[in-house]
């Protein structure tokens, strides 16, 4: 028991001030790192990429596509997905080996991509029900064969740019069914700052955000003259566009004109980290980084682990 005089002591007043002070806001920094791999067929292997044991590391195989290349142009297959990555170097055994060697590594597959054999890729569904049924069946087989953990959605073109419902239901029902069936443990989406792309992915987000774990936003698609401050502003905008989402910062190591440089992208990641809002980083892609010694992968993982 305390006497009444205790409540006027400096000790109690200090305690009271601490209790009444606003609680600190939890930061958004995390140790999540993602690397896309296999799309450029440059012989890169999982084991080539340096892996920091202090990060949560995801590989994303690129790509699985629901098109047949037996014809020109390629023909849509209504959700029957095939493998379009470098399987010679990124095989089922290679997936098993990297996950056995590193407990912090998971491997996913990205669906769609921009093109196949130079032609745009988009969902061409006979019906939502048939597309989802075919996609669930074909992807379940692929995911189990390759011992994969998740899927990434990277459709960048759309047959009907005003039809958000078909995209939303095809992708939303696919993710939900694969998760409900225990086939995958996580899912990500990979939009970028294009009005049609944003309308599709934000419609998907509005209905199915609860089952989408990561937003791998392609920030590098902004102009090459983008500054670090502008990048941070763009990041804040996308966090608002995908409320509640785990939005990853990103940059590319592929030598492509017209996009944000890797140096600017990494500097922006450092700034986001200093502002306590760097949820994670993804890099496109390991294939391009192979000839560069994976400098940015090493630096990015060190930043996330610090």
């Amino acid at each position: 028991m305390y006497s009444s005089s205790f409540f006027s002591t400096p000790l109690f007043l200090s305690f009271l001030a601490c209790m009444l002070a606003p609680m600190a806001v939890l930061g958004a920094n995390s140790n999540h790192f993602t690397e896309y791999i296999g799309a450029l067929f440059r012989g890169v292997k999982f084991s080539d990429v340096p892996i920091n044991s202090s990060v949560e590391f995801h590989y994303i195989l690129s790509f699985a596509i629901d098109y047949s290349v037996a014809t020109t142009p390629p023909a849509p297959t209504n959700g029957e997905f095939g493998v379009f990555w470098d399987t010679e170097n990124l095989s089922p055994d290679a997936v098993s080996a990297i996950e056995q060697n590193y407990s912090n590594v998971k491997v996913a597959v990205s669906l769609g991509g921009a093109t196949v054999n130079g032609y745009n890729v988009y969902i061409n569904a006979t019906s939502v029900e048939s597309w989802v049924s075919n996609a669930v069946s074909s992807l379940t087989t692929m995911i189990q064969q390759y011992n994969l953990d998740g899927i990434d959605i990277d459709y960048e073109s759309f047959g009907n740019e005003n039809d958000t419902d078909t995209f939303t239901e095809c992708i939303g029902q696919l993710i939900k069914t694969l998760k409900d069936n225990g086939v995958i443990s996580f899912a990500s989406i990979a939009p970028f700052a294009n009005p049609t792309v944003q309308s599709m992915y934000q419609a998907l987000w509005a209905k199915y955000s609860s089952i989408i774990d990561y937003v791998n936003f392609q920030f590098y698609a902004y102009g090459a003259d983008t500054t670090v401050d502008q990048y941070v502003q763009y990041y804040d905008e996308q966090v608002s566009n995908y409320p509640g989402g785990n939005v990853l910062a990103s940059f590319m190591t592929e030598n492509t004109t017209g996009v944000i440089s890797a140096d600017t992208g990494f500097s922006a990641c450092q700034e986001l980290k200093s502002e306590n809002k760097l949820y994670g980083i993804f890099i496109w892609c390991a294939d391009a980084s192979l000839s560069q010694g994976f400098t940015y992968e090493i630096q990015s993982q060190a930043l996330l682990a610090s």
Side-chain angles (χ1 to χ4, degrees), residues 142-165:
M142 183 187 301
I143 289 165
Q144 292 176 343
Q145 177 187 359
Y146 279 84
N147 306 301
L148 305 179
D149 304 289
I151 62 171
D152 173 66
I153 308 302
D154 187 29
Y155 283 97
E156 301 184 5
S157 297
F158 309 91
N160 181 345
E161 296 185 352
N162 297 314
D163 180 13
T164 60
D165 289 342

mmCIF file of all heavy atoms in Angstrom, residues 142-165:
data_model
loop_
_atom_site.group_PDB
_atom_site.id
_atom_site.type_symbol
_atom_site.label_atom_id
_atom_site.label_comp_id
_atom_site.label_asym_id
_atom_site.label_seq_id
_atom_site.Cartn_x
_atom_site.Cartn_y
_atom_site.Cartn_z
ATOM 1 N N MET A 142 1.904 -28.969 -61.325
ATOM 2 C CA MET A 142 3.205 -28.311 -61.459
ATOM 3 C C MET A 142 3.823 -28.009 -60.097
ATOM 4 O O MET A 142 5.011 -28.270 -59.856
ATOM 5 C CB MET A 142 3.041 -27.016 -62.249
ATOM 6 C CG MET A 142 4.334 -26.268 -62.516
ATOM 7 S SD MET A 142 4.019 -24.637 -63.276
ATOM 8 C CE MET A 142 3.151 -25.112 -64.769
ATOM 9 N N ILE A 143 3.039 -27.440 -59.198
ATOM 10 C CA ILE A 143 3.532 -27.046 -57.877
ATOM 11 C C ILE A 143 4.004 -28.257 -57.093
ATOM 12 O O ILE A 143 5.050 -28.227 -56.426
ATOM 13 C CB ILE A 143 2.437 -26.266 -57.116
ATOM 14 C CG1 ILE A 143 2.260 -24.887 -57.759
ATOM 15 C CG2 ILE A 143 2.776 -26.138 -55.637
ATOM 16 C CD1 ILE A 143 0.986 -24.171 -57.342
ATOM 17 N N GLN A 144 3.269 -29.345 -57.172
ATOM 18 C CA GLN A 144 3.669 -30.555 -56.460
ATOM 19 C C GLN A 144 4.897 -31.202 -57.100
ATOM 20 O O GLN A 144 5.772 -31.711 -56.404
ATOM 21 C CB GLN A 144 2.492 -31.526 -56.396
ATOM 22 C CG GLN A 144 1.365 -31.014 -55.511
ATOM 23 C CD GLN A 144 0.140 -31.907 -55.494
ATOM 24 O OE1 GLN A 144 -0.031 -32.771 -56.364
ATOM 25 N NE2 GLN A 144 -0.734 -31.701 -54.521
ATOM 26 N N GLN A 145 4.978 -31.152 -58.421
ATOM 27 C CA GLN A 145 6.140 -31.713 -59.107
ATOM 28 C C GLN A 145 7.414 -30.965 -58.753
ATOM 29 O O GLN A 145 8.475 -31.580 -58.549
ATOM 30 C CB GLN A 145 5.936 -31.669 -60.624
ATOM 31 C CG GLN A 145 7.144 -32.183 -61.419
ATOM 32 C CD GLN A 145 7.004 -31.982 -62.922
ATOM 33 O OE1 GLN A 145 5.984 -31.471 -63.401
ATOM 34 N NE2 GLN A 145 8.015 -32.367 -63.679
ATOM 35 N N TYR A 146 7.313 -29.633 -58.662
ATOM 36 C CA TYR A 146 8.490 -28.806 -58.404
ATOM 37 C C TYR A 146 8.663 -28.441 -56.927
ATOM 38 O O TYR A 146 9.573 -27.674 -56.592
ATOM 39 C CB TYR A 146 8.417 -27.536 -59.251
ATOM 40 C CG TYR A 146 8.867 -27.751 -60.679
ATOM 41 C CD1 TYR A 146 7.990 -28.236 -61.639
ATOM 42 C CD2 TYR A 146 10.179 -27.490 -61.071
ATOM 43 C CE1 TYR A 146 8.398 -28.445 -62.956
ATOM 44 C CE2 TYR A 146 10.602 -27.689 -62.374
ATOM 45 C CZ TYR A 146 9.702 -28.179 -63.312
ATOM 46 O OH TYR A 146 10.122 -28.390 -64.609
ATOM 47 N N ASN A 147 7.806 -28.959 -56.063
ATOM 48 C CA ASN A 147 7.924 -28.690 -54.617
ATOM 49 C C ASN A 147 7.878 -27.194 -54.312
ATOM 50 O O ASN A 147 8.681 -26.669 -53.531
ATOM 51 C CB ASN A 147 9.229 -29.288 -54.065
ATOM 52 C CG ASN A 147 9.382 -30.758 -54.364
ATOM 53 O OD1 ASN A 147 8.537 -31.569 -53.975
ATOM 54 N ND2 ASN A 147 10.433 -31.122 -55.082
ATOM 55 N N LEU A 148 6.912 -26.509 -54.923
ATOM 56 C CA LEU A 148 6.815 -25.063 -54.765
ATOM 57 C C LEU A 148 5.922 -24.688 -53.595
ATOM 58 O O LEU A 148 5.130 -25.499 -53.105
ATOM 59 C CB LEU A 148 6.288 -24.431 -56.059
ATOM 60 C CG LEU A 148 7.077 -24.767 -57.328
ATOM 61 C CD1 LEU A 148 6.447 -24.105 -58.549
ATOM 62 C CD2 LEU A 148 8.545 -24.365 -57.197
ATOM 63 N N ASP A 149 6.057 -23.421 -53.166
ATOM 64 C CA ASP A 149 5.350 -22.949 -51.978
ATOM 65 C C ASP A 149 4.281 -21.903 -52.274
ATOM 66 O O ASP A 149 3.394 -21.687 -51.445
ATOM 67 C CB ASP A 149 6.361 -22.336 -50.990
ATOM 68 C CG ASP A 149 7.473 -23.300 -50.627
ATOM 69 O OD1 ASP A 149 7.190 -24.269 -49.902
ATOM 70 O OD2 ASP A 149 8.611 -23.097 -51.087
ATOM 71 N N GLY A 150 4.374 -21.221 -53.418
ATOM 72 C CA GLY A 150 3.435 -20.133 -53.659
ATOM 73 C C GLY A 150 3.324 -19.783 -55.124
ATOM 74 O O GLY A 150 3.997 -20.365 -55.983
ATOM 75 N N ILE A 151 2.464 -18.813 -55.415
ATOM 76 C CA ILE A 151 2.322 -18.292 -56.772
ATOM 77 C C ILE A 151 2.388 -16.768 -56.746
ATOM 78 O O ILE A 151 2.067 -16.125 -55.745
ATOM 79 C CB ILE A 151 1.011 -18.745 -57.464
ATOM 80 C CG1 ILE A 151 -0.220 -18.223 -56.703
ATOM 81 C CG2 ILE A 151 0.976 -20.252 -57.621
ATOM 82 C CD1 ILE A 151 -1.540 -18.464 -57.456
ATOM 83 N N ASP A 152 2.807 -16.230 -57.877
ATOM 84 C CA ASP A 152 2.875 -14.791 -58.097
ATOM 85 C C ASP A 152 2.061 -14.486 -59.348
ATOM 86 O O ASP A 152 2.074 -15.265 -60.312
ATOM 87 C CB ASP A 152 4.338 -14.373 -58.300
ATOM 88 C CG ASP A 152 4.497 -12.924 -58.700
ATOM 89 O OD1 ASP A 152 4.177 -12.046 -57.874
ATOM 90 O OD2 ASP A 152 4.955 -12.655 -59.831
ATOM 91 N N ILE A 153 1.332 -13.378 -59.349
ATOM 92 C CA ILE A 153 0.474 -13.024 -60.479
ATOM 93 C C ILE A 153 1.096 -11.838 -61.220
ATOM 94 O O ILE A 153 1.221 -10.744 -60.673
ATOM 95 C CB ILE A 153 -0.950 -12.657 -60.013
ATOM 96 C CG1 ILE A 153 -1.520 -13.770 -59.118
ATOM 97 C CG2 ILE A 153 -1.843 -12.397 -61.220
ATOM 98 C CD1 ILE A 153 -1.587 -15.145 -59.756
ATOM 99 N N ASP A 154 1.473 -12.068 -62.491
ATOM 100 C CA ASP A 154 2.152 -11.023 -63.256
ATOM 101 C C ASP A 154 1.562 -10.867 -64.662
ATOM 102 O O ASP A 154 2.299 -10.691 -65.631
ATOM 103 C CB ASP A 154 3.656 -11.328 -63.338
ATOM 104 C CG ASP A 154 4.444 -10.191 -63.972
ATOM 105 O OD1 ASP A 154 4.010 -9.030 -63.854
ATOM 106 O OD2 ASP A 154 5.482 -10.458 -64.604
ATOM 107 N N TYR A 155 0.240 -10.932 -64.760
ATOM 108 C CA TYR A 155 -0.385 -10.594 -66.045
ATOM 109 C C TYR A 155 -0.270 -9.088 -66.259
ATOM 110 O O TYR A 155 -0.576 -8.301 -65.365
ATOM 111 C CB TYR A 155 -1.848 -11.025 -66.061
ATOM 112 C CG TYR A 155 -2.025 -12.514 -66.274
ATOM 113 C CD1 TYR A 155 -2.205 -13.366 -65.202
ATOM 114 C CD2 TYR A 155 -1.997 -13.056 -67.555
ATOM 115 C CE1 TYR A 155 -2.348 -14.739 -65.395
ATOM 116 C CE2 TYR A 155 -2.145 -14.413 -67.759
ATOM 117 C CZ TYR A 155 -2.323 -15.254 -66.671
ATOM 118 O OH TYR A 155 -2.465 -16.600 -66.867
ATOM 119 N N GLU A 156 0.169 -8.695 -67.460
ATOM 120 C CA GLU A 156 0.410 -7.286 -67.749
ATOM 121 C C GLU A 156 -0.430 -6.768 -68.916
ATOM 122 O O GLU A 156 -0.412 -5.571 -69.202
ATOM 123 C CB GLU A 156 1.899 -7.076 -68.016
ATOM 124 C CG GLU A 156 2.771 -7.511 -66.824
ATOM 125 C CD GLU A 156 4.249 -7.220 -67.006
ATOM 126 O OE1 GLU A 156 4.609 -6.587 -68.031
ATOM 127 O OE2 GLU A 156 5.041 -7.603 -66.130
ATOM 128 N N SER A 157 -1.140 -7.668 -69.594
ATOM 129 C CA SER A 157 -2.044 -7.290 -70.680
ATOM 130 C C SER A 157 -3.394 -7.944 -70.437
ATOM 131 O O SER A 157 -3.485 -8.949 -69.715
ATOM 132 C CB SER A 157 -1.487 -7.734 -72.044
ATOM 133 O OG SER A 157 -0.265 -7.098 -72.333
ATOM 134 N N PHE A 158 -4.424 -7.372 -71.064
ATOM 135 C CA PHE A 158 -5.782 -7.817 -70.783
ATOM 136 C C PHE A 158 -6.601 -7.769 -72.067
ATOM 137 O O PHE A 158 -6.555 -6.780 -72.801
ATOM 138 C CB PHE A 158 -6.411 -6.955 -69.686
ATOM 139 C CG PHE A 158 -5.528 -6.854 -68.472
ATOM 140 C CD1 PHE A 158 -4.590 -5.827 -68.354
ATOM 141 C CD2 PHE A 158 -5.586 -7.811 -67.483
ATOM 142 C CE1 PHE A 158 -3.745 -5.755 -67.269
ATOM 143 C CE2 PHE A 158 -4.733 -7.737 -66.385
ATOM 144 C CZ PHE A 158 -3.818 -6.718 -66.266
ATOM 145 N N GLY A 159 -7.346 -8.848 -72.332
ATOM 146 C CA GLY A 159 -8.127 -8.926 -73.553
ATOM 147 C C GLY A 159 -9.178 -7.845 -73.653
ATOM 148 O O GLY A 159 -9.368 -7.227 -74.698
ATOM 149 N N ASN A 160 -9.862 -7.613 -72.552
ATOM 150 C CA ASN A 160 -10.865 -6.547 -72.478
ATOM 151 C C ASN A 160 -10.471 -5.654 -71.318
ATOM 152 O O ASN A 160 -10.622 -6.032 -70.151
ATOM 153 C CB ASN A 160 -12.263 -7.138 -72.262
ATOM 154 C CG ASN A 160 -13.347 -6.076 -72.207
ATOM 155 O OD1 ASN A 160 -13.071 -4.886 -72.053
ATOM 156 N ND2 ASN A 160 -14.603 -6.491 -72.333
ATOM 157 N N GLU A 161 -9.977 -4.477 -71.644
ATOM 158 C CA GLU A 161 -9.432 -3.596 -70.612
ATOM 159 C C GLU A 161 -10.496 -3.026 -69.682
ATOM 160 O O GLU A 161 -10.162 -2.407 -68.670
ATOM 161 C CB GLU A 161 -8.633 -2.471 -71.261
ATOM 162 C CG GLU A 161 -7.406 -2.971 -72.018
ATOM 163 C CD GLU A 161 -6.550 -1.852 -72.562
ATOM 164 O OE1 GLU A 161 -6.985 -0.686 -72.486
ATOM 165 O OE2 GLU A 161 -5.438 -2.140 -73.053
ATOM 166 N N ASN A 162 -11.762 -3.214 -70.016
ATOM 167 C CA ASN A 162 -12.844 -2.727 -69.155
ATOM 168 C C ASN A 162 -13.447 -3.833 -68.290
ATOM 169 O O ASN A 162 -14.307 -3.565 -67.459
ATOM 170 C CB ASN A 162 -13.943 -2.096 -70.008
ATOM 171 C CG ASN A 162 -13.457 -0.871 -70.767
ATOM 172 O OD1 ASN A 162 -12.798 -0.020 -70.198
ATOM 173 N ND2 ASN A 162 -13.779 -0.802 -72.055
ATOM 174 N N ASP A 163 -12.998 -5.066 -68.501
ATOM 175 C CA ASP A 163 -13.575 -6.209 -67.789
ATOM 176 C C ASP A 163 -12.696 -6.589 -66.603
ATOM 177 O O ASP A 163 -11.857 -7.488 -66.686
ATOM 178 C CB ASP A 163 -13.735 -7.385 -68.744
ATOM 179 C CG ASP A 163 -14.342 -8.614 -68.070
ATOM 180 O OD1 ASP A 163 -14.866 -8.481 -66.938
ATOM 181 O OD2 ASP A 163 -14.288 -9.709 -68.672
ATOM 182 N N THR A 164 -12.882 -5.878 -65.494
ATOM 183 C CA THR A 164 -12.121 -6.217 -64.291
ATOM 184 C C THR A 164 -12.678 -7.458 -63.598
ATOM 185 O O THR A 164 -11.953 -8.128 -62.857
ATOM 186 C CB THR A 164 -12.116 -5.045 -63.301
ATOM 187 O OG1 THR A 164 -13.467 -4.729 -62.932
ATOM 188 C CG2 THR A 164 -11.455 -3.813 -63.908
ATOM 189 N N ASP A 165 -13.934 -7.767 -63.822
ATOM 190 C CA ASP A 165 -14.566 -8.881 -63.113
ATOM 191 C C ASP A 165 -13.928 -10.223 -63.461
ATOM 192 O O ASP A 165 -13.683 -11.049 -62.576
ATOM 193 C CB ASP A 165 -16.072 -8.942 -63.409
ATOM 194 C CG ASP A 165 -16.834 -7.799 -62.763
ATOM 195 O OD1 ASP A 165 -16.289 -7.166 -61.834
ATOM 196 O OD2 ASP A 165 -17.984 -7.534 -63.186
#
